[in-house]
Amino acid sequence: MLVIGIPYDATSSYRPGSRFAPRTVREAAANIEFYSLRAGLDLEAYRVADLGDIVLPVRPQEAVKRIEAVVAEVLGRYPGKLVALIGGEHSITLGSFSAVARVEEEPCLLVADAHFDLRDEYMEEKYSHASVMRRIAEAYGSERLFYIGVRAFAGEEVEYAREKHIEYVTSHSVRLLGVREVVARAARWIRRVGCKTLYVSVDMDGYDPAYAPGVANPEPEGLEPWMLLDILFKVVAESGARLRVVDVVEVSPPYDYSGITSILAAKTLLELFAAYQVQKSGARGG
Amino acid sequence: MLVIGIPYDATSSYRPGSRFAPRTVREAAANIEFYSLRAGLDLEAYRVADLGDIVLPVRPQEAVKRIEAVVAEVLGRYPGKLVALIGGEHSITLGSFSAVARVEEEPCLLVADAHFDLRDEYMEEKYSHASVMRRIAEAYGSERLFYIGVRAFAGEEVEYAREKHIEYVTSHSVRLLGVREVVARAARWIRRVGCKTLYVSVDMDGYDPAYAPGVANPEPEGLEPWMLLDILFKVVAESGARLRVVDVVEVSPPYDYSGITSILAAKTLLELFAAYQVQKSGARGG
Amino acid sequence: MLVIGIPYDATSSYRPGSRFAPRTVREAAANIEFYSLRAGLDLEAYRVADLGDIVLPVRPQEAVKRIEAVVAEVLGRYPGKLVALIGGEHSITLGSFSAVARVEEEPCLLVADAHFDLRDEYMEEKYSHASVMRRIAEAYGSERLFYIGVRAFAGEEVEYAREKHIEYVTSHSVRLLGVREVVARAARWIRRVGCKTLYVSVDMDGYDPAYAPGVANPEPEGLEPWMLLDILFKVVAESGARLRVVDVVEVSPPYDYSGITSILAAKTLLELFAAYQVQKSGARGG
Amino acid sequence: MLVIGIPYDATSSYRPGSRFAPRTVREAAANIEFYSLRAGLDLEAYRVADLGDIVLPVRPQEAVKRIEAVVAEVLGRYPGKLVALIGGEHSITLGSFSAVARVEEEPCLLVADAHFDLRDEYMEEKYSHASVMRRIAEAYGSERLFYIGVRAFAGEEVEYAREKHIEYVTSHSVRLLGVREVVARAARWIRRVGCKTLYVSVDMDGYDPAYAPGVANPEPEGLEPWMLLDILFKVVAESGARLRVVDVVEVSPPYDYSGITSILAAKTLLELFAAYQVQKSGARGG
Amino acid sequence: MLVIGIPYDATSSYRPGSRFAPRTVREAAANIEFYSLRAGLDLEAYRVADLGDIVLPVRPQEAVKRIEAVVAEVLGRYPGKLVALIGGEHSITLGSFSAVARVEEEPCLLVADAHFDLRDEYMEEKYSHASVMRRIAEAYGSERLFYIGVRAFAGEEVEYAREKHIEYVTSHSVRLLGVREVVARAARWIRRVGCKTLYVSVDMDGYDPAYAPGVANPEPEGLEPWMLLDILFKVVAESGARLRVVDVVEVSPPYDYSGITSILAAKTLLELFAAYQVQKSGARGG
Amino acid sequence: MLVIGIPYDATSSYRPGSRFAPRTVREAAANIEFYSLRAGLDLEAYRVADLGDIVLPVRPQEAVKRIEAVVAEVLGRYPGKLVALIGGEHSITLGSFSAVARVEEEPCLLVADAHFDLRDEYMEEKYSHASVMRRIAEAYGSERLFYIGVRAFAGEEVEYAREKHIEYVTSHSVRLLGVREVVARAARWIRRVGCKTLYVSVDMDGYDPAYAPGVANPEPEGLEPWMLLDILFKVVAESGARLRVVDVVEVSPPYDYSGITSILAAKTLLELFAAYQVQKSGARGG
Ligand SMILES: [Mn+2]
Ligand SMILES: [Mn+2]
Ligand SMILES: [Mn+2]
Ligand SMILES: [Mn+2]
Ligand SMILES: [Mn+2]
Ligand SMILES: [Mn+2]
Ligand SMILES: [Mn+2]
Ligand SMILES: [Mn+2]
Ligand SMILES: [Mn+2]
Ligand SMILES: [Mn+2]
Ligand SMILES: [Mn+2]
Ligand SMILES: [Mn+2]
């Protein structure tokens, strides 16, 4: 796994500070065990390389372009590796998904988030965290998006999602349907769209604020970690679309007093890495 | 919805600071979405007016009287509106419930709380947060109370509750019975007592401390937000008793480091506002 | 119940500060109700004596010896009493379990923890919190251990546990199996090993970090309090092995911003005290 | 020295929490050295007895009466001892000064404070921290007051102070005049009024907020600790009026993140205790 | 005095969050006394109007333009009033100084800061807080700048300052020279440049971090508040150049745990308002 | 300059956490300017190499030995370089000073500290932070010690210091004597003892807690940064004894909420590095 930090939070509208997350998530990763119970694998045995942080300008559109360039370069150079990005705010995903779209075939984006991030613009900005999925939908097709855990909408977003038939499972629905059914829906989406490459983007506010208090926009009634991790692990491990990039975004360390949000972000990357190994080996773990 | 802040915490026995909650809960409300998934309504479309804060004396009994006077005045002036109070500690509910009792017919009080607040007196004070429901029971009849989420009792309170046949569902029972059954019990209570007006008071310590760490008296093993909000929404939306006043109390911002308690309090008011709209329109949302 | 504080954290590898927990857990205990819903008992009626804190040297092995000496002395002097220890880090349990083994017959150790603590040594130290159960297994037999809630392993620990047939239920398994089945497995273990004396050690990181953020090593996907407390209560209340010592360890107050970890630790001791009363009286409570 | 805690903060108008100061100031005292460089004395050699905390009602006037009764009782029982009070808010000084006035002859009050606390009433309350010196002036004569470090005034207070010829040295004046001159002015005041008994009350906001950030009402441009302690030490050590009671008030632990305000409060008590020993022995220290 | 909030911090390079300062500084102002000892004036008697916050885009250059437009509009509409701006980061001063330069004659800028903010660009941005004075110097002449308290330089800045003969007094020099001499130098600068309008910009990091810990870039060895306030008060009160705009910038509330930085910022505005009144009345206060 | 982190805090008696200081001090160093006003030098031009952290065992005596071995190795390998150590607690200085004594001639130790650290043992430990200077005095001669800023003594320490004629200037004396005189006394000590190599050890509690709140044992009435830095700079720059090692110890990041203690520690290292350059070049800077 190749790790890249993207310390960018210039468009954060509520609680800034995700610029510090690349450091705190790495530190958390250094203090937790690398054994995945879901995979039955000790990930200590697998190589993780840290490529450092991307240096970025303040201006949103230029930042996005730089991210795209760097990630595309890395993807091109290491075709067999999983790339893990540590945000920064969600706006970075436009850059990195664009890089995947440039380098790989039929990319799809599985998003865990409390929000749609589908506004046309926000605070006069078209490249902010609140519009990132709108830009992706416009550029690569709205059918390439699948949301898990959404629950806080602006009217404009609900309308757009409806109109474009974007697929999503709210956090309430996850509780009603159960892990298995959500996994099945994601699997059908992958088949229907014909995804060959999978990008998993985890906005940490997809989790409930009790588990991830240190985020830019905490929204009640989110997912419990075991639930979301079970879903993501199974979707990846059992999917035909090859996992290529994962990101964790929107951790805001100045608001993460006990540090548990950074730890959960590190754990999320690890379980995705484990799922990747299982997918690669073609065999399910323990 | 008419919002009134009641920054009063003079009788707080453990962790003071709920005087600051009117400000932090309003700020939280300004930073979350107004879409209610339970109602399928975008509440941005409905009017919310902020009447500001009530200026209060230190002395408990006089504070209660002032609250009663102000709330009664507001209820009288705006007969068709839902009134939302942001505490302050729980002692304020004696004032506001008294106002409802003065202005409306057959008022009943649905309380979410970890505690009974049924002590005869506490720290030599009869008008403190720990005795508020005792005063209400004495003045308006103990049958008018229904508790959800209680789990921390003084011996004296258990005895009083038993003797007066006060109805309650502990947080343990909520988990055992499920949302539907708790809603059914509350509905039976409303019918049996003949409630025509409903007051919903949410002591934020009814939630588990993981979800609401910034309260005056955190008590383990509380309710998860989706559970309590489901119950409250359904009781209100399906009830014949008209929702007139809601309050959220006992948020203590100095102990709410990541701000998630204030955000959950704001969300609680929004879902109750949504339930009110559904009740009013006579139709259930999505 | 006899309470002893053990303010020792010299071997903490990540976030020190559990030295302060004896004070904060006591303070929390002074501010919560003593009524146990599980037992249907008001514990205010039972005597709790506080014996103060043990003064300890820095060096791990000597600290362990001192703890053993003091706890053995107390156990010998008060044969009919439950002893409750407030850590400090987990390394203290080697001292106190050794004391039990010296004074009582057929002692067994029920551990709630995210970790095995079964490393041969850690940071060049054989008496640290990360090796405490290895030392206990070596000295008293690995069959005397039963784990609940484990989920973060080093490879070396998994191997040792497998080789020694150590029994454990991961937090994932607790969710799958349910409270009843876990209790049944623990009961079978007690019978099979022939335990006559029970020691319950609760590393607070057994709980999920949402509920216990202020611990030395937070690990995601832990147990919810109601779950673990249900299990511990039932195992104790229905067990033939006499509960003699309980401990709560690894609370790190400098990281427990809202204080909810100390409160949950106090609650844990109270429910174990209630279970002890039920066990003693031979009758199940409410 | 006899220590009494007075955990009362019901009238706090800005940042409550001084109720917790008796505990944090004691804890700080347990972790600093007892050697006074000013006196050249190791205070470890002198006896300090802790009489515990006064249990208090919420209502201000009744709280004041209770404090008066308890302090008077202690003063009567231990005529040769220095009494040190740990607040709580400044309103407690009305009770304790009244006790001194009841038991001792010609009492005078030396106050370190950023504020006059001379309002006729505040938030409809005559017994709050903001009116405490007004009540004392009315009951015992305004000439008995001498302020050091004042700098934040309401118009009404300036007028009252002028009219009643109350003596004060602002923090700006302390910097201009120097320690020696301020001490000389206080000494002249003691002689002129004919004080026989001295009460020193230190509102911790007299210090600059850099040194005492954890107070209820931080006010910039305050005194540096060495300055105020030099003044207080010299006034006491060289004065003919016998030091009988000292208090430190207005520490608000929830706002004292690094704990340095509680430590400074403990240090203030220690230096006053050292000054008392020097006064008693009739000889100046090192 | 007209108060405008400018919640902008998109270019913050180290610790963001000054977007929240308009709210916290206002709240602080509501909780301190309005009496100025320097002026001998109770400012409660003078009118303060709050015009609210400016809504701003993310992009730096556009934000600057918007600020210029709004401030110019306000200056034009209220020619006789002092305008007080609450930042936000220092980059806002480019907008507001440009507005002054557009509306008033011969504007000069007195800056309190630890830094020169004279970089040509920073993190690829020409309109960031680190380049604000470079832009002002280029547009309006470097002789219009006078710095107090500077002490942290990049090589490029020292060179530029030297080359352009920009006047400054380091914090070390302030201690050596004393208040009187610094005031005299500033007065000579005003006369030499022929300033008719004065803008005072206070980057809160000009103060020492002990007094202003909650800033974006704390730099040791800064000024004590009494020193800087004495200097600013005297320069304004005795100056021929009319004070027209003041700003306080770079307060970062998420890092201002005890709130003392916001309080000091509020105090700074008040003393400048008092100086303005003295300047206007042509008479020196107490 | 060669930087080495020594994350050791096992013997901390009050507030642990200095193990994290190597990371936070480095991070602070990365965010402040490298220009030294005292030297008139831009230190960006000089090479700084980071050698990483020393991995250490828990046991104090063994930790000390490891530190000695590593530092001696580095000193031997880089004879012309200044070595800067970031603690960790003060006990580390025994190891590093021993290394200097092994490698260099006539080493002397200039200590800034609030405490003597001269206890024979503390908490049954002879190698703790509270005994470090006693061990050094015993092994290398008490005349090799010179203290600046001491003010908190145990009786035993005062006696030892007196008996051994150890030289010290209390923080009170520094204020009385002024920078020049203290520098002169240190210079005389260097000549009298015949020091050829200088080690400067800065326990951050030598500074006042207002400037360095995040330390293990805050003690009021300490030094202001400009004072101590002036003294250290001048002693080094003008001294004949060659500066070889500097350390900053006792920063406790969990208590350093606003981060200003780590920043001051970084600044302290920079000014010592600047003094070293001046000493080396034989010329005084600006
Ligand atoms: Mn998002
Ligand atoms: Mn989101
Ligand atoms: Mn309540
Ligand atoms: Mn409650
Ligand atoms: Mn453990
Ligand atoms: Mn553990
Ligand atoms: Mn006062
Ligand atoms: Mn005051
Ligand atoms: Mn600036
Ligand atoms: Mn600056
Ligand atoms: Mn030291
Ligand atoms: Mn020290």
Side-chain angles (χ1 to χ4, degrees), chain B residues 90 113-115 117 203 205-206 217 250:
Chain B
H90 217 162
D113 203 325
H115 312 90
D117 297 343
D203 182 328
D205 66 26
N217 300 276
E250 299 284 336

Short mmCIF file of all heavy atoms in Angstrom, two decimals, chain B residues 90 113-115 117 203 205-206 217 250, ligand 4:
data_model
loop_
_atom_site.label_atom_id
_atom_site.label_comp_id
_atom_site.label_asym_id
_atom_site.label_seq_id
_atom_site.Cartn_x
_atom_site.Cartn_y
_atom_site.Cartn_z
N HIS B 90 -32.56 21.40 33.88
CA HIS B 90 -33.92 20.86 33.80
C HIS B 90 -34.92 21.61 34.66
O HIS B 90 -36.13 21.55 34.43
CB HIS B 90 -33.91 19.37 34.13
CG HIS B 90 -34.88 18.59 33.30
ND1 HIS B 90 -34.85 17.23 33.13
CD2 HIS B 90 -35.94 19.02 32.55
CE1 HIS B 90 -35.83 16.85 32.34
NE2 HIS B 90 -36.50 17.91 31.97
N ASP B 113 -34.99 11.17 29.79
CA ASP B 113 -34.05 11.53 30.87
C ASP B 113 -33.41 10.26 31.39
O ASP B 113 -34.01 9.19 31.34
CB ASP B 113 -34.84 12.23 32.00
CG ASP B 113 -33.97 13.12 32.88
OD1 ASP B 113 -32.79 12.77 33.12
OD2 ASP B 113 -34.46 14.16 33.33
N ALA B 114 -32.19 10.37 31.91
CA ALA B 114 -31.59 9.25 32.63
C ALA B 114 -32.11 9.18 34.06
O ALA B 114 -31.99 8.16 34.73
CB ALA B 114 -30.07 9.39 32.66
N HIS B 115 -32.67 10.30 34.51
CA HIS B 115 -33.06 10.43 35.91
C HIS B 115 -34.55 10.73 36.05
O HIS B 115 -35.18 11.22 35.13
CB HIS B 115 -32.27 11.58 36.55
CG HIS B 115 -30.81 11.54 36.27
ND1 HIS B 115 -30.26 12.16 35.17
CD2 HIS B 115 -29.79 10.92 36.93
CE1 HIS B 115 -28.94 11.94 35.17
NE2 HIS B 115 -28.63 11.19 36.21
N ASP B 117 -35.67 12.86 38.50
CA ASP B 117 -35.81 14.24 38.98
C ASP B 117 -37.02 14.36 39.90
O ASP B 117 -37.78 15.33 39.85
CB ASP B 117 -35.92 15.23 37.82
CG ASP B 117 -34.67 15.28 36.95
OD1 ASP B 117 -33.61 14.81 37.40
OD2 ASP B 117 -34.75 15.80 35.82
N ASP B 203 -34.09 15.88 28.39
CA ASP B 203 -32.85 16.04 29.14
C ASP B 203 -31.81 15.25 28.34
O ASP B 203 -31.95 14.05 28.14
CB ASP B 203 -33.04 15.43 30.54
CG ASP B 203 -31.82 15.59 31.41
OD1 ASP B 203 -30.69 15.58 30.87
OD2 ASP B 203 -31.98 15.70 32.64
N ASP B 205 -29.15 14.00 28.91
CA ASP B 205 -28.50 12.83 29.51
C ASP B 205 -29.34 11.57 29.31
O ASP B 205 -28.90 10.48 29.70
CB ASP B 205 -28.12 13.07 30.97
CG ASP B 205 -29.30 13.26 31.91
OD1 ASP B 205 -30.40 12.78 31.64
OD2 ASP B 205 -29.10 13.92 32.95
N GLY B 206 -30.51 11.70 28.71
CA GLY B 206 -31.25 10.51 28.30
C GLY B 206 -30.49 9.72 27.25
O GLY B 206 -30.52 8.49 27.24
N ASN B 217 -24.73 15.71 34.05
CA ASN B 217 -24.61 14.45 34.80
C ASN B 217 -24.61 13.24 33.87
O ASN B 217 -25.62 12.56 33.74
CB ASN B 217 -25.81 14.30 35.76
CG ASN B 217 -25.89 15.41 36.77
OD1 ASN B 217 -25.26 15.39 37.80
ND2 ASN B 217 -26.69 16.43 36.45
N GLU B 250 -29.92 20.65 29.85
CA GLU B 250 -28.78 20.00 30.50
C GLU B 250 -27.54 19.85 29.62
O GLU B 250 -26.58 19.18 30.01
CB GLU B 250 -29.17 18.64 31.11
CG GLU B 250 -30.25 18.73 32.20
CD GLU B 250 -29.71 19.25 33.54
OE1 GLU B 250 -28.49 19.11 33.78
OE2 GLU B 250 -30.49 19.80 34.34
MN MN G 4 -30.93 13.85 33.83
#
